[in-house]
Amino acid sequence: IVRTGAGAHTITLSDKWQGLLMVSHCITSTASADDYEMMVVEDAVAVSKTLKIAIFKGGTAADLQTTDKLLLEIVVSKTIQEPAGL
C-alpha cells in the first residue's frame, strides 16, 4: 500500500485478476473511528493489479493517525463471468 496524497492510497496486488467483487473495511481508532469513511475510487485489478482507495474524515480527505489501523478484505474473481447472485 502506497500513500499517494492526503487520504489517498494505491494498493498493488501480487497478481492480475479478472474483476474486483468486493472491498470491505474496518477502521480502528483510539479516538473517533466513526468519523472515518473509505471508498474505492479506481479498480484496475485486471490491468495493472491495483486499486485506489480514498479515506475521508468528516467529508474531507484525511490520513489516519499513527495509532489508527485500516483493515481490508478484498475479494477478486479469476474469471470474467461473475458468480451467481452478483
Side-chain angles (χ1 to χ4, degrees):
I1 299 176
V2 176
R3 181 183 179 274
T4 58
H9 297 80
T10 298
I11 300 168
T12 303
L13 305 176
S14 58
D15 296 308
K16 288 183 185 178
W17 298 91
Q18 291 298 319
L20 178 66
L21 299 178
M22 181 195 78
V23 176
S24 177
H25 78 283
C26 177
I27 296 173
T28 62
S29 174
T30 56
S32 55
D34 291 343
D35 293 342
Y36 286 111
E37 302 269 338
M38 194 253 2
M39 65 184 287
V40 175
V41 293
E42 183 180 307
D43 163 21
V45 296
V47 178
S48 61
K49 304 187 293 186
T50 62
L51 60 122
K52 295 182 180 184
I53 62 168
I55 299 171
F56 299 93
K57 185 171 185 174
T60 303
D63 291 322
L64 296 174
Q65 301 301 311
T66 55
T67 57
D68 299 339
K69 292 183 177 35
L70 172 63
L71 308 171
L72 293 172
E73 177 183 18
I74 301 169
V75 180
V76 292
S77 175
K78 285 187 171 186
T79 65
I80 294 173
Q81 181 178 359
E82 293 181 346
L86 284 181

